[in-house]
Amino acid sequence: MQLPILALALAAPLVSALGMARVVNNCSDSVHVWSVGAEVTGPYQLGKNGGFYGEEFVKDAVTGGRALKVTRHADGLYTGAAQTIFAYNLDHASVWYDLSDVFGDAFAGKKVVVASAEATCPSIVWPTGVPPAGSQVKVCTASKNVVLTLCA
Ligand SMILES: *[C@@H]1O[C@H](CO)[C@@H](O)[C@H](O)[C@H]1NC(C)=O
């Protein structure tokens, strides 16, 4: 009887293992993050030089995906401040991810990167904090974290 129980215990974490969407603030000022889907959570203040936010990938019931919106101002989501938006969409075992700016470029002059912990997956790199033309959308396994690094 012992063997089947052991096998089940070992298998269970593999089935449910989902990565996280993370934002790491490597800038020299704090930033502010909201997690936006059907409902909004935040703001979360990320301290300078390494503050971070993370949430396990989740399929939003209404919008399908979620967006982590970053501003440099504490109330920036509501004052029209420049936002850098890390959007993700959990699709079974995969996660689609994208990076965009609205109301200006919050991190102009700084390097901004979105990368999976799975090194073979494509990353999004803005060398000067300004989005290039065209689609940025990438896809990777949802079992590994995907991280937006500010001032990389
Ligand atoms: C954080 O920023 C410093 C420069 O300010 C850079 O050398 C370093 O590589 C950055 N770290 C990460 C994880 O991006």
Side-chain angles (χ1 to χ4, degrees):
M1 265 328 277
Q2 208 138 22
L3 193 56
I5 292 169
L6 179 64
L8 191 65
L10 289 172
L14 296 175
V15 170
S16 63
L18 269 181
M20 299 181 85
R22 285 171 61 97
V23 179
V24 175
N25 177 24
N26 191 40
C27 299
S28 54
D29 292 305
S30 59
V31 303
H32 307 271
V33 177
W34 289 258
S35 176
V36 179
E39 85 295 338
V40 178
T41 59
Y44 305 99
Q45 181 170 325
L46 277 50
K48 62 183 181 180
N49 303 326
F52 63 90
Y53 168 80
E55 65 183 37
E56 190 174 271
F57 293 129
V58 63
K59 196 158 185 66
D60 191 272
V62 175
T63 60
R66 292 191 69 82
L68 303 183
K69 300 190 173 187
V70 185
T71 75
R72 302 180 73 165
H73 300 280
D75 53 355
L77 192 65
Y78 306 107
T79 60
Q83 300 174 14
T84 293
I85 302 173
F86 168 27
Y88 72 86
N89 203 321
L90 179 62
D91 178 16
H92 300 101
S94 299
V95 64
W96 297 82
Y97 46 100
D98 191 13
L99 189 65
S100 59
D101 275 357
V102 292
F103 310 131
D105 301 310
F107 298 95
K110 312 286 186 188
K111 188 177 178 186
V112 179
V113 176
V114 176
S116 173
E118 171 52 61
T120 61
C121 286
S123 52
I124 300 169
V125 181
W126 294 357
T128 59
V130 176
S135 173
Q136 298 270 289
V137 183
K138 311 291 185 195
V139 63
C140 186
T141 172
S143 66
K144 299 283 179 68
N145 294 347
V146 178
V147 182
L148 164 62
T149 303
L150 305 164
C151 305

